[in-house]
């Protein structure tokens, strides 16, 4: 398959971010594929919309339809990965392939306890302070061309409690059985928490494989944009055609 025959690609961001998270990937992938990066409900341009997985699935579906090229490869990071799993269950006819990045750990059981605590703590901290902390962290870790768009778009701290509240306790490896398309589980090598269930997630699906970005952490698409993009491109070019 050539790039001209490749699938449309929809990119779904992680917690508190927006479509700007994907600026490094958009610049490269859009040379070869029809690509769209979405803002999930409660994030970015949809900041005023209430969060729900149902609404998130519809946002992804609308992005697939907007590209007008049939079923799409959906790439979801962290929160966006779990939203993509829900989309795969609800709208299988629109899915040609799935990339789960930093979203291959069960959100049930004791693992979720500290995250529930953080979700309850966030509303108690002023948003401007959280913004300064996040801006400072991203600028210290990454060059401006990688995180500039994310910083300019701002952060959806107000949505975090609702988003995590719905995702926590909902997803286990068994969710992979509802995905009727090939799956790439794409994790940062050092993302020890969010890749801890990757083998169980892969075993739960007949057409899933695992690929690691060397030395990358949870934000693997920031840590090594080129390697992340190349992994998505290779996977896209080997997807079977769907009607």
């Amino acid at each position: 398959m050539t790039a001209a025959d490749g699938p449309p690609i929809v990119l779904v961001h992680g917690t508190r971010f927006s479509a700007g998270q994907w600026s490094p990937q958009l610049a490269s992938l859009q040379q070869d594929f029809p690509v769209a990066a979405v803002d999930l409900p409660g994030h970015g341009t949809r900041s005023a919309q209430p969060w729900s997985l149902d609404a998130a699935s519809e946002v992804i579906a609308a992005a697939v339809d907007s590209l007008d090229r049939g079923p799409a490869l959906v790439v979801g990071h962290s929160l966006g990965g779990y939203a993509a799993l829900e989309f795969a269950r609800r709208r299988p006819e629109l899915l040609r392939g799935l990339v789960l990045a930093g979203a291959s750990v069960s959100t049930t059981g004791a693992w979720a306890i500290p995250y529930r605590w953080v979700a309850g703590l966030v509303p108690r901290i002023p948003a401007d302070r959280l913004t300064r902390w996040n801006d400072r962290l991203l600028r210290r870790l990454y060059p401006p061309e990688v995180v500039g768009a994310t910083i300019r778009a701002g952060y959806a701290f107000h949505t975090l409690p609702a988003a995590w509240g719905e995702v926590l306790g909902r997803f286990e490896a068994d969710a992979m059985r509802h995905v009727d398309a090939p799956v790439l589980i794409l994790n940062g090598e050092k993302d020890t928490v969010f890749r801890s269930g990757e083998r169980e997630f892969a075993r739960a699906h007949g057409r899933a494989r695992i690929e690691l970005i060397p030395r990358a952490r949870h934000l693997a698409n920031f840590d090594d944009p080129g390697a992340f993009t190349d992994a998505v491109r290779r996977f896209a070019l080997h997807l079977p055609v769907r009607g």
Side-chain angles (χ1 to χ4, degrees):
M1 180 185 292
T2 66
D5 302 316
I9 300 176
V10 174
L11 304 167
V12 190
H13 63 81
T15 295
R16 79 189 181 280
F17 290 155
S18 65
Q21 176 183 351
W22 299 109
S23 60
Q25 283 66 51
L26 281 169
S28 180
L29 291 173
Q30 66 188 3
Q31 299 176 27
D32 299 316
F33 305 94
V35 185
V38 303
D39 285 334
L40 291 171
H43 299 75
T45 58
R46 293 188 170 89
S47 179
Q49 299 178 12
W51 164 270
S52 74
L53 280 170
D54 184 22
S57 295
E58 290 308 309
V59 165
I60 298 170
V64 176
D65 288 339
S66 73
L67 294 174
D68 197 27
R69 288 277 299 273
L73 168 60
V74 177
V75 181
H77 174 260
S78 197
L79 174 66
Y82 294 109
L85 275 173
E86 184 69 6
F87 166 77
R89 183 181 72 84
R90 291 171 179 259
R91 302 298 302 273
E93 76 283 2
L94 295 181
L95 187 69
R96 187 162 163 188
L98 176 63
V99 175
L100 287 181
S104 50
V105 62
S106 169
T107 66
T108 65
W111 176 91
I113 292 174
Y115 289 90
R116 291 190 187 279
W117 180 82
V118 170
L121 177 65
V122 164
R124 304 178 188 178
I125 304 174
D128 60 345
R129 184 179 303 174
L130 290 169
T131 296
R132 288 196 300 273
W133 289 347
N134 275 260
D135 285 354
R136 192 176 301 126
L137 177 66
L138 291 178
R139 288 184 174 123
R140 185 170 73 244
L141 293 176
Y142 306 110
E145 62 270 21
V146 172
V147 296
T150 295
I151 291 171
R152 289 191 296 273
Y155 311 98
F157 301 115
H158 65 290
T159 301
L160 190 150
W164 283 18
E166 191 176 13
V167 168
L168 292 174
R170 187 182 186 107
F171 291 95
E172 295 181 321
D174 189 66
M176 295 284 283
R177 301 185 188 280
H178 301 291
V179 182
D180 185 24
V183 178
L184 172 64
I185 297 173
L186 182 61
N187 288 323
E189 178 189 15
K190 296 185 176 181
D191 187 12
T192 54
V193 173
F194 285 89
R195 59 167 291 214
S196 60
E198 61 188 20
R199 295 186 183 278
E200 290 77 12
F201 273 62
R203 281 196 296 266
H205 188 279
R207 291 176 290 166
R209 66 177 180 87
I210 299 167
E211 184 170 342
L212 299 180
I213 306 296
R215 298 175 297 281
R217 296 153 294 192
H218 186 55
L219 293 171
N221 77 300
F222 287 171
D223 287 321
D224 195 334
F228 190 99
T229 303
D230 287 346
V232 171
R233 178 182 285 107
R234 288 194 304 272
F235 184 65
L237 290 175
H238 286 89
L239 286 174
V241 175
R242 290 189 62 173

